[in-house]
Amino acid sequence: MYSYEERIRAVKLYEKYISDGSLKEKITRRPKYTEEQRAAAMEFYLSHGKNMNLTIHVLGYPGRATLSQWLSEDCPEEKRSCKSGTPTVYLSQEQREKAAIDMCTRTESAQEIADRYQVSRYTVYNCQWQVFGKGASYMKKPMREPVTVEMVEELRAEVERLAKEKAELERQVYRCQLERDVLEKAAEILKKDQGVNLKALTNREKAVVIDALRDKYKLKELLSVLHIAKSSYCYQESVLQGPDKYAAVRKRIGEIFLASSKRYGYRRIHCSLKNEGIVISEKVIRTIMREESMVVPFVKMKKYSSYVGEVTPAVPNLVKRNFHADAPNKLWLTDITEFHIPAGKIYLSPMVDCFDGLPVAWTIGTSPSADLVNLMLDVAISELREGEHPIVHTDRGGHYRWPGWIERMDAAGLTRSMSKKGCSPDNAACEGFHGRLKNEFFYNRDWRGVTIESFVDQLDEYLHWYSEDRIKISLNGMSPMNYRRSLGLTA
């Protein structure tokens, strides 16, 4: 902002200029070019072909706007009005191809070719790029070996061949993707992730896979990959959409599976149904269990080792992996196995009879001590009748080589037998008992929050169930105790 004194001084100065006439109404600027320069430019323009660019280039002045203004003022009849260019020429496809060939085989300039077709140089170059590609090279000088029409025809044939090859490769890629999707879907739906053979699938399984992929592929393509006739597929569709003839059996299988705490596989379920008078093949049971996702949990057993060295001399292996016994209390097996839960470790010492797999006696404790195995042996001996002196086969653990174990064995007239050092197959039957026990009772269960006392009670309950209720295929679908009752060996 201006001060008051500055504004008063400006007003007084304005009044002074008004009073003495010093303030002009219009200011006329001095022209940039003199009249002589203007006249020389006009003369040169008119005498040299009326070319504005040439005039400006030679004289060095004026600009195009200024020269155009001078022409309008001095020579209005010489002013060039704007006019449209030559009419646009549209070349046909045949003319474009011919122009492209002329550009590749030319011995003349591109402008001469363009004039012949009445188009611009850019148009003939564009024709060359469209026909032979953007990378088509050209030479300002004549080519040493001009491209002939035959060479162009060969290039066209090569382009067609490559196009066909591309289409064939795309078809093969599509086919491979189709086969891959079919294999993945078969593994996902049918649970056959280990080596899916499409030709080995049943028509029912193929129909299920086709139904899962119908929204992505055509039916004809799926039938071809899965090697199934359309009539067979239609039949399977009608069967799949019809009522389930195994509905009642399916329900009973689920009940048996849950009643066994998900421990029974298809063989034991088949025996259970057979005992109930339901006749059905194992294959149907296996299919139903797969469809209903009835899978028995399984984890590979880790063996507990009780070997502490050579406490006393080892005895010979009398069993030699022959775990068959034709009568009860002829051959016993024993070993210690470990259970590790968040609350602590628990140890089981069972005595298994090779006649029918019955656990004759067992003890459960929190320490793999001598008392654990000695007490189990005392209970097992108490179950013997007069005149029964079984062979007791063990590994080379220190529990079975201490004086307390040996004294009890000798007092009861039992025969000792030991496996080879570090050779678990020598006691495979007892190892198998431990494995079944852990797969059915211990593995794939959450033991958090379970106390040691509660675990011991549940383990003891399982062993009683194993003896009384759990059926075995080798015992004609009966439990060990029921099998002995059927033979009149026990009350």
Side-chain angles (χ1 to χ4, degrees):
M1 297 296 292
Y2 298 98
S3 65
Y4 176 76
E5 291 77 8
E6 290 175 339
R7 285 183 287 172
I8 292 297
R9 187 166 60 251
V11 171
K12 290 180 178 180
L13 184 63
Y14 176 76
E15 291 176 350
K16 178 183 178 182
Y17 285 148
I18 291 297
S19 62
D20 61 9
S22 299
L23 187 63
K24 297 181 181 181
E25 295 182 0
K26 183 178 181 182
I27 299 177
T28 305
R29 290 185 178 181
R30 181 180 178 181
K32 185 176 181 180
Y33 302 103
T34 64
E35 291 296 329
E36 291 78 8
Q37 290 175 322
R38 177 171 179 170
M42 294 299 298
E43 181 182 357
F44 188 90
Y45 174 79
L46 295 174
S47 60
H48 289 81
K50 302 178 181 180
N51 192 323
M52 296 181 69
N53 291 335
L54 181 61
T55 301
I56 296 171
H57 179 71
V58 173
L59 298 180
Y61 72 93
R64 293 183 64 87
T66 303
L67 183 56
S68 179
Q69 182 181 358
W70 291 349
L71 286 174
S72 300
E73 295 174 355
D74 299 346
C75 304
E77 70 281 355
E78 296 295 336
K79 183 180 179 182
R80 300 177 62 184
S81 59
C82 295
K83 61 179 181 179
S84 60
T86 57
T88 303
V89 178
Y90 295 96
L91 299 180
S92 63
Q93 182 63 28
E94 183 179 356
Q95 290 175 324
R96 285 179 174 274
E97 292 179 357
K98 188 176 181 192
I101 295 174
D102 291 344
M103 285 292 293
C104 291
T105 60
R106 61 189 170 99
T107 57
E108 52 190 343
S109 65
Q111 185 62 51
E112 292 175 344
I113 297 176
D115 293 340
R116 188 162 65 248
Y117 288 95
Q118 298 181 354
V119 294
S120 64
R121 292 175 67 254
Y122 175 76
T123 301
V124 293
Y125 278 117
N126 193 30
C127 293
Q128 181 184 13
W129 294 337
Q130 289 179 353
V131 175
F132 297 107
K134 190 69 176 178
S137 61
Y138 60 90
M139 301 177 63
K140 293 183 178 179
K141 297 181 180 180
M143 298 178 64
R144 296 181 180 179
E145 297 181 1
V147 179
T148 62
V149 177
E150 291 76 9
M151 296 174 63
V152 174
E153 294 297 331
E154 291 179 0
L155 289 175
R156 287 180 180 173
E158 182 68 14
V159 170
E160 293 179 359
R161 185 188 67 80
L162 292 176
K164 293 180 180 179
E165 184 176 345
K166 176 186 175 183
E168 177 63 21
L169 290 175
E170 290 177 349
R171 188 190 66 81
Q172 293 179 5
V173 170
Y174 178 81
R175 179 77 176 189
C176 291
Q177 183 65 38
L178 170 60
E179 293 178 353
R180 177 182 176 182
D181 289 347
V182 169
L183 288 171
E184 290 180 349
K185 189 59 66 174
E188 175 185 350
I189 297 178
L190 307 177
K191 307 300 181 185
K192 294 188 176 184
D193 51 334
Q194 299 295 331
V196 177
N197 185 358
L198 298 180
K199 294 183 179 180
L201 298 179
T202 64
N203 287 347
R204 182 186 180 89
E205 293 172 338
K206 293 178 181 179
V208 172
V209 175
I210 291 175
D211 291 341
L213 296 173
R214 281 293 299 274
D215 58 341
K216 187 175 181 180
Y217 297 102
K218 296 180 180 179
L219 176 60
K220 183 178 181 181
E221 297 171 343
L222 294 170
L223 294 174
S224 175
V225 171
L226 288 164
H227 307 285
I228 180 175
K230 185 176 180 180
S231 58
S232 300
Y233 167 73
C234 294
Y235 170 76
Q236 293 298 330
E237 281 295 292
S238 63
V239 173
L240 290 173
Q241 295 175 3
D244 185 8
K245 65 179 181 179
Y246 297 114
V249 176
R250 187 184 301 270
K251 180 180 179 182
R252 183 56 187 151
I253 290 175
E255 293 173 352
I256 296 174
F257 185 72
L258 293 177
S260 66
S261 300
K262 300 182 180 181
R263 297 164 181 160
Y264 278 5
Y266 73 93
R267 294 184 180 88
R268 289 187 174 82
I269 291 180
H270 177 264
C271 289
S272 299
L273 294 175
K274 184 177 179 181
N275 294 336
E276 297 176 6
I278 300 175
V279 179
I280 188 172
S281 69
E282 292 182 350
K283 183 178 179 181
V284 174
I285 297 175
R286 193 164 59 243
T287 302
I288 293 175
M289 293 184 68
R290 181 176 63 246
E291 293 175 352
E292 300 297 329
S293 300
M294 299 180 189
V295 180
V296 178
F298 176 83
V299 177
K300 186 176 181 180
M301 184 184 68
K302 296 181 180 179
K303 183 179 182 299
Y304 164 77
S305 176
S306 60
Y307 182 76
V308 294
E310 301 291 332
V311 180
T312 57
V315 296
N317 184 354
L318 305 178
V319 178
K320 297 180 181 179
R321 303 187 186 182
N322 181 11
F323 304 106
H324 174 72
D326 54 5
N329 301 328
K330 290 287 187 180
L331 176 60
W332 286 353
L333 309 173
T334 186
D335 196 2
I336 298 178
T337 187
E338 177 186 272
F339 300 89
H340 193 180
I341 64 174
K345 292 183 179 181
I346 299 94
Y347 298 89
L348 169 67
S349 176
M351 185 71 77
V352 181
D353 194 330
C354 284
F355 172 66
D356 50 10
L358 175 70
V360 178
W362 62 83
T363 52
I364 306 172
T366 57
S367 174
S369 61
D371 294 337
L372 183 73
V373 296
N374 291 341
L375 178 59
M376 178 273 299
L377 181 60
D378 292 338
V379 176
I381 292 175
S382 66
E383 297 292 329
L384 293 175
R385 298 176 181 178
E386 186 178 355
E388 293 181 335
H389 305 284
I391 297 175
V392 179
H393 183 76
T394 67
D395 59 14
R396 294 203 176 192
H399 309 84
Y400 314 115
R401 306 175 72 171
W402 288 339
W405 176 271
I406 298 175
E407 290 173 1
R408 286 172 171 79
M409 293 285 292
D410 294 339
L414 307 183
T415 304
R416 297 170 62 203
S417 173
M418 282 188 175
S419 303
K420 184 180 177 182
K421 180 180 178 180
C423 186
S424 58
D426 284 353
N427 199 14
C430 192
E431 298 286 353
F433 173 81
H434 290 164
R436 288 188 296 272
L437 184 152
K438 290 191 174 182
N439 282 323
E440 296 180 358
F441 167 75
F442 182 67
Y443 293 136
N444 298 299
R445 293 181 62 182
D446 187 4
W447 296 103
R448 290 175 296 183
V450 178
T451 63
I452 292 179
E453 293 75 12
S454 176
F455 182 88
V456 170
D457 292 340
Q458 294 183 45
L459 178 56
D460 186 70
E461 180 182 355
Y462 170 83
L463 291 171
H464 281 96
W465 174 81
Y466 187 95
S467 304
E468 295 288 344
D469 299 322
R470 183 184 182 277
I471 63 176
K472 297 187 66 174
I473 306 301
S474 58
L475 302 181
N476 298 325
M478 291 182 284
S479 66
M481 290 302 297
N482 288 334
Y483 182 69
R484 293 194 177 192
R485 293 188 187 101
S486 67
L487 298 179
L489 299 176
T490 184

